[in-house]
Structure formats: structure tokens, C-alpha cells
Amino acid sequence: MFSKCQLIKIPQFSGPKGSVYTILIDDEEITAFKNFVMMNNSFKSEIKDIVGRLKTMGFKTGMREDFFKLYEGNPGDGVCALFDKEDSNLRLYCVRYGSQIVILGGGGHKPKSIRTFQEDENLEKQNFILRDLSKLITEKMQDKEIWFSEDGLDFEGDLTIENYNYE
């Protein structure tokens, strides 16, 4: 899905309760979250709600479970989806690390005709990118190349993740 991915902290969403990161994949010019916003600009009120929720998480509440639809990936990988509301058109995939860190990936709008991400090629691709990323971050943490900051609010170390299995 990618050969190289960089974790980028989003300062305007990150505060004393949690940090929000996004990813920059390979040689792309814009981050996954910015691309998500641009590709879904026809859903302005939903984007505004998602941005508001991200700010709330970073500055007031942390990454509480009730903001996410959990278990959108493999068991234990933390891949989940952030919704603005239950009947939302948008689905933003992320990886949640406890109540203090979330990595925003990509996503999209789910046409009314689909029930699962596997029915939409783009949603499936975005989901699998985060599954791969989560696995690679876990490996880097086990190798002590990435770790949590002392206060648990940030990643530290080498925040460039290489996918050597990419074909």
C-alpha cells in the first residue's frame, strides 16, 4: 500500500488532553487528512463537525472510545473510524493509541448503497493502509525506534515508517 510513511503532528488539534497525527505517504504533496478534507469538501458541515470533534479531543476530553467506531481493522491494531454523527456520510479511518494519541488516515464518503468498507474500493484501500501502518509502528516500538513521550501525549523517535514488504 505504501513504501514510506511519515507521522505528522497536527498542532491545531493537539493539546493537553491528546495529540492528533496524520500521515504523509510516499512522495505525496499533502497529508492523508488534508486530502480527506479536500476530497469531501461537498460535505462542509460534516467536515466542520469532524474538525470540532478533533479539537475537543486534543484540548478537552482525550481520545474517548465513544468518538470512534472501534474494531475496523484486525484484532488489536487500533484501527477505527471517526464519525461526526451516527448518520454521517463520511468515514475517516484512524489508529487510536489509548486515550491520548490518534493517527488520522484517509477515508471518504460512503454512498448510501454500501454497508461495509469492502464494498467501496477507496474506503477499503484507506483501511488497509492503516492496518499496515499500525503493524509497522508496533514493530518499530518493539525495536525501540519509536516510543511514547514521558507524558504519553506524543510519539518520539524515528517517525518515518518504511514498508519493506511493499510491492
Side-chain angles (χ1 to χ4, degrees):
M1 293 282 187
F2 63 87
S3 61
K4 184 173 75 173
C5 183
Q6 187 174 357
L7 299 179
I8 310 283
K9 188 173 181 179
I10 306 177
Q12 62 265 39
F13 302 152
S14 301
K17 295 294 184 176
S19 294
V20 179
Y21 287 79
T22 188
I23 55 177
L24 188 61
I25 296 175
D26 295 326
D27 296 323
E28 291 184 10
E29 299 282 322
I30 59 173
T31 65
F33 180 69
K34 189 168 193 163
N35 187 53
F36 170 81
V37 170
M38 290 170 36
M39 297 302 290
N40 294 289
N41 65 0
S42 59
F43 299 98
K44 287 187 187 341
S45 67
E46 291 182 27
I47 292 289
K48 185 178 176 184
D49 288 344
I50 287 172
V51 165
R53 186 164 291 188
L54 290 168
K55 287 179 182 177
T56 297
M57 285 189 269
F59 289 92
K60 295 180 181 171
T61 65
M63 310 326 171
R64 292 190 334 227
E65 279 188 8
D66 57 330
F67 285 123
F68 301 92
K69 181 178 181 199
L70 303 177
Y71 314 116
E72 290 285 297
N74 294 316
D77 67 8
V79 175
C80 53
L82 175 67
F83 292 106
D84 67 334
K85 293 186 179 79
E86 194 58 39
D87 60 348
S88 168
N89 290 301
L90 298 183
R91 184 177 292 182
L92 175 62
Y93 287 111
C94 28
V95 183
R96 186 174 163 266
Y97 288 87
S99 63
Q100 293 182 295
I101 297 177
V102 69
I103 301 171
L104 306 177
H109 66 281
K110 51 183 193 242
K112 295 290 184 197
S113 61
I114 73 162
R115 290 192 310 267
T116 67
F117 71 82
Q118 293 93 338
E119 296 175 53
D120 181 279
E121 192 176 307
N122 178 57
L123 289 175
E124 183 176 44
K125 176 185 174 198
Q126 299 303 324
N127 183 284
F128 278 93
I129 286 172
L130 288 185
R131 289 179 190 208
D132 289 347
L133 178 65
S134 175
K135 182 179 173 215
L136 294 167
I137 289 173
T138 298
E139 290 172 8
K140 284 189 80 147
M141 292 181 106
Q142 290 170 343
D143 294 342
K144 302 195 182 336
E145 295 174 30
I146 293 180
W147 58 91
F148 294 116
S149 62
E150 206 169 298
D151 63 8
L153 289 172
D154 286 297
F155 287 115
E156 294 182 345
D158 181 8
L159 303 186
T160 300
I161 290 81
E162 306 265 351
N163 187 355
Y164 297 107
N165 299 321
Y166 179 74
E167 296 176 17

